[in-house]
């Protein structure tokens, strides 16, 4: 087990290079399963969710070659349609994309129900199942597994109007529909940058997907997908996390290798809080010298403020002048991190899907535990900004989605170290 020791109080200075987008990579790797040939995927982040999905593909017979740190070649030519077991699926939310990918390729899927971050409530997949059924699959949930299959061995295009804007359902149905017969029209879909990235990936392998990034996506099914090369977009949330860290700690950091347009919803909020943000080509220069001011934030599907940035922004708002209100309209109980912040002296009250934050002069270091991926990132930010020493446990959550997070913060002057601990120590710390 690993924990992070953080000595807070240093402003951050320098440049940080943003890795490939986690939420695009975790969909594109399963999508590679549908390709007849070699997919060369570049700008893949080195995170544990990626390793897990690659190992699931390997277990199904894919051949995987690591070309360099951020490039892999995946050959699924000889892949077989096997079961995705509970032990793999429970470790990563995105394992649900194996259903859409297997359905696309074999018109049949047998995948254990997904795990992933616990946001303090249920994470339904009814919209995914509704979409698969509309494409003609019979779907059942038995013994913790989703069994889906088309009776005649082919899925048929269909019109689907989603009841809820869902990233996962949009991508999953896009995968299944890409190799089905005829036209699929999906309405009320998610528009996140990684939705567009997955569509671009599929199109570069021979699919016919139009409209990704708008409310309506049209997919004309094709017979087969061919191999090719694709480079994943930069990670909007990783970039936003370093921006929030500069807001919390002060200093000046160039956030490099990003698509500034994807950052608009986050940039706008930071400007409101008194942070300076300048766009320079494919980077943003983020600077905070003066005090932080309060802000109200409501999370929304893209292009609104992302729920996946809510805990990191909350870390900065803990030290802003005045009272801030955060409303999470995507995940109604995503405030499990609040008790940990309170241990550091934060003043936060949670009321349903609202967090009311009364800014304090400073936070103080404490022993804290990451309870999910983005909450863990928020705890790093709070600890880097706090006076004194913090110990963060549960860091395996953070390493699911942040590449080299300790090294990247250290290069910016953050005093953070990763240390190995005995399992029994971790349990004691976790309580
Ligand atoms: C993805 C992201 C996650 C992010 C979330 C919202 C991945 C691997 N994870 O999760 O980090 O927080 O998008 O941006 O990309 N819903 C339903 N029925 C469904 C599906 C969703 O009611 O079938 C609801 C959910 O309860 C939630 C909302 O829709 O309130 C959005 O969920 P969704 O966009 O599907 O999130 P995920 O794809 O699970």
């Amino acid at each position: 087990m690993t924990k992070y020791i953080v000595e807070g109080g240093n402003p951050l200075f320098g440049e940080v290079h943003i890795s490939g987008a986690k939420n695009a990579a975790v969909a594109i790797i399963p999508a590679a399963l549908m390709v007849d040939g070699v997919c060369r995927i570049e700008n893949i982040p080195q995170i544990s969710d990626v390793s897990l999905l690659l190992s699931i593909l390997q277990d199904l017979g894919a051949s995987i070659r690591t070309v360099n740190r951020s490039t892999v070649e995946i050959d699924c030519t000889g892949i077989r349609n096997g079961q995705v077991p509970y032990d793999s699926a429970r470790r990563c939310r995105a394992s649900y994309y194996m259903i859409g990918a297997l359905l696309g390729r074999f018109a049949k899927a047998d995948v254990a129900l997904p795990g992933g971050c616990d946001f303090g409530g249920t994470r339904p997949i009814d919209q995914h199942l509704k979409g698969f059924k509309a494409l003609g699959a019979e779907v059942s949930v038995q013994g913790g597994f989703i069994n889906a299959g088309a009776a005649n061995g082919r899925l048929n295009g269909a019109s689907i109007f989603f009841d809820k804007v869902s990233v996962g359902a949009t991508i999953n149905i896009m995968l299944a529909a890409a190799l089905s017969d005829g036209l699929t029209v999906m309405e009320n879909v998610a528009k996140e940058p990684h939705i567009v990235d997955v569509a671009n990936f599929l199109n570069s392998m021979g699919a016919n997907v139009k409209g990704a990034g708008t409310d309506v996506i049209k997919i004309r099914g094709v017979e087969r997908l061919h191999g090719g090369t694709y480079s994943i977009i930069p990670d909007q949330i990783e970039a936003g996390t370093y921006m929030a860290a500069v807001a919390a700690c002060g200093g000046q950091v160039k956030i490099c290798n990003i698509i500034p347009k994807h950052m608009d919803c986050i940039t706008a909020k930071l400007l409101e809080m008194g942070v300076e943000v300048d766009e320079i080509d494919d980077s943003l220069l983020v600077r905070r010298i003066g005090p932080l001011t309060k802000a109200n934030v409501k999370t929304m599907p893209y292009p609104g403020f992302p729920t996946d940035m809510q805990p990191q922004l909350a870390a900065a708002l803990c030290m802003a002048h005045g009272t801030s209100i955060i409303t999470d309209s995507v995940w109604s109980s995503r405030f499990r991190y609040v008790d940990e912040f309170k241990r550091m002296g934060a003043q936060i009250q949670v009321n349903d899907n609202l967090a009311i934050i009364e800014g304090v002069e400073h936070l103080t270091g404490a022993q804290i535990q990451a309870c999910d991926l983005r909450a863990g990132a928020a705890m790093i930010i709070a600890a880097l900004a706090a006076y004194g020493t913090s110990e963060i446990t549960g860091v395996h959550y953070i390493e699911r989605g942040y590449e080299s997070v300790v090294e990247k913060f250290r290069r910016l002057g953050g005093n953070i170290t990763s240390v190995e601990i005995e399992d029994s120590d971790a349990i004691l710390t976790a309580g």
Side-chain angles (χ1 to χ4, degrees):
M1 299 273 289
T2 308
K3 74 177 169 185
Y4 297 161
I5 313 275
V6 183
E7 196 68 52
N10 291 351
L12 303 175
F13 287 98
E15 289 187 5
V16 61
H17 185 95
I18 298 307
S19 303
K22 165 191 172 276
N23 285 347
V26 298
I28 285 173
I29 294 168
L33 188 155
M34 296 165 39
V35 175
D36 224 354
V38 179
C39 282
R40 184 184 168 101
I41 308 175
E42 299 171 349
N43 206 28
I44 284 214
Q46 280 208 336
I47 52 176
S48 61
D49 270 12
V50 159
S51 314
L52 175 71
L53 287 161
L54 289 173
S55 74
I56 293 176
L57 287 195
Q58 236 161 354
D59 289 346
L60 293 174
S63 126
I64 293 172
R65 190 172 84 86
T66 303
V67 179
N68 58 44
R69 195 181 156 79
S70 60
T71 306
V72 291
E73 284 181 354
I74 304 175
D75 186 354
C76 291
T77 312
I79 201 152
R80 59 187 167 75
N81 188 8
Q83 189 182 66
V84 177
Y86 172 69
D87 205 39
S88 307
R90 76 180 168 84
R91 285 157 56 200
C92 167
R93 186 81 194 153
S95 56
Y96 56 29
Y97 293 135
M98 296 302 295
I99 311 169
L102 286 168
L103 266 180
R105 173 114 190 203
F106 298 108
K108 199 168 175 330
D110 185 11
V111 178
L113 282 160
C117 284
D118 174 4
F119 296 148
T122 54
R123 293 186 72 173
I125 55 166
D126 56 296
Q127 297 303 303
H128 304 232
L129 305 188
K130 169 180 160 163
F132 296 141
K133 285 177 189 163
L135 296 177
E138 282 171 20
V139 182
S140 63
V141 181
Q142 275 171 6
F145 280 79
I146 294 175
N147 294 289
N152 64 355
R154 286 295 288 178
L155 297 175
N156 292 309
S159 289
I160 303 157
F161 195 104
F162 290 106
D163 304 317
K164 183 102 193 179
V165 176
S166 160
V167 169
T170 303
I171 292 179
N172 233 340
I173 308 310
M174 190 156 62
L175 298 185
L179 286 175
S180 65
D181 287 336
L183 179 69
T184 296
V185 180
M186 301 197 289
E187 293 187 69
N188 197 25
V189 295
K191 295 178 279 197
E192 270 67 5
H194 41 284
I195 305 275
V196 180
D197 210 37
V198 176
N200 287 342
F201 166 81
L202 290 170
N203 286 340
S204 72
M205 305 291 151
N208 185 348
V209 181
K210 292 191 174 133
T214 74
D215 294 313
V216 183
I217 298 180
K218 292 185 180 170
I219 304 154
R220 170 84 51 196
V222 296
E223 272 299 312
R224 67 179 281 275
L225 299 179
H226 54 71
T229 298
Y230 191 77
S231 183
I232 292 176
I233 53 165
D235 196 308
Q236 176 208 32
I237 304 298
E238 188 198 14
T241 299
Y242 287 97
M243 292 169 79
V246 180
C249 300
Q252 177 172 301
V253 172
K254 192 172 178 191
I255 318 280
C256 303
N257 179 44
I258 56 161
I259 298 173
K261 184 76 196 143
H262 292 169
M263 307 309 301
D264 283 354
C265 40
I266 299 164
T267 300
K269 206 38 78 181
L270 291 176
L271 291 173
E272 210 179 302
M273 291 164 61
V275 179
E276 294 169 39
V277 183
D278 289 309
E279 186 178 326
I280 310 163
D281 302 326
D282 65 350
S283 56
L284 289 177
L285 188 65
V286 183
R287 188 156 72 128
R288 208 266 288 167
I289 307 166
L292 276 180
T293 26
K294 69 176 178 78
N296 294 337
V297 185
K298 185 170 184 183
T299 69
M300 310 270 274
Y302 190 83
F305 189 89
T307 173
D308 285 357
M309 271 303 297
Q310 180 261 97
Q312 302 91 309
L313 199 81
L317 289 173
C318 284
M319 290 157 286
H321 285 292
T323 307
S324 304
I325 300 177
I326 296 184
T327 312
D328 200 319
S329 67
V330 179
W331 302 109
S332 57
S333 341
R334 196 176 189 172
F335 292 115
R336 292 173 69 228
Y337 62 86
V338 161
D339 284 343
E340 304 302 295
F341 281 6
K342 282 185 178 170
R343 295 155 65 78
M344 305 177 79
Q347 293 208 358
I348 312 179
Q349 256 191 303
V350 175
N351 204 343
D352 293 330
N353 70 334
L354 292 188
I356 302 158
I357 305 177
E358 203 67 60
V360 294
E361 208 48 51
H362 60 82
L363 298 178
T364 43
Q367 292 192 339
I368 45 179
Q369 171 143 29
C371 52
D372 68 54
L373 166 61
R374 306 304 172 185
M379 283 174 208
I380 296 182
I381 294 173
L384 285 168
Y387 288 5
T389 309
S390 297
E391 289 185 17
I392 307 176
T393 49
V395 304
H396 59 283
Y397 285 114
I398 304 172
E399 294 173 356
R400 282 188 40 211
Y402 286 89
E403 177 174 322
S404 309
V405 68
V406 169
E407 290 75 11
K408 287 185 184 184
F409 272 120
R410 283 178 70 82
R411 261 184 251 128
L412 297 177
N415 192 341
I416 173 168
T417 322
S418 174
V419 295
E420 290 305 314
I421 45 171
E422 297 290 326
D423 279 10
S424 56
D425 286 356
I427 290 159
L428 278 178
T429 319

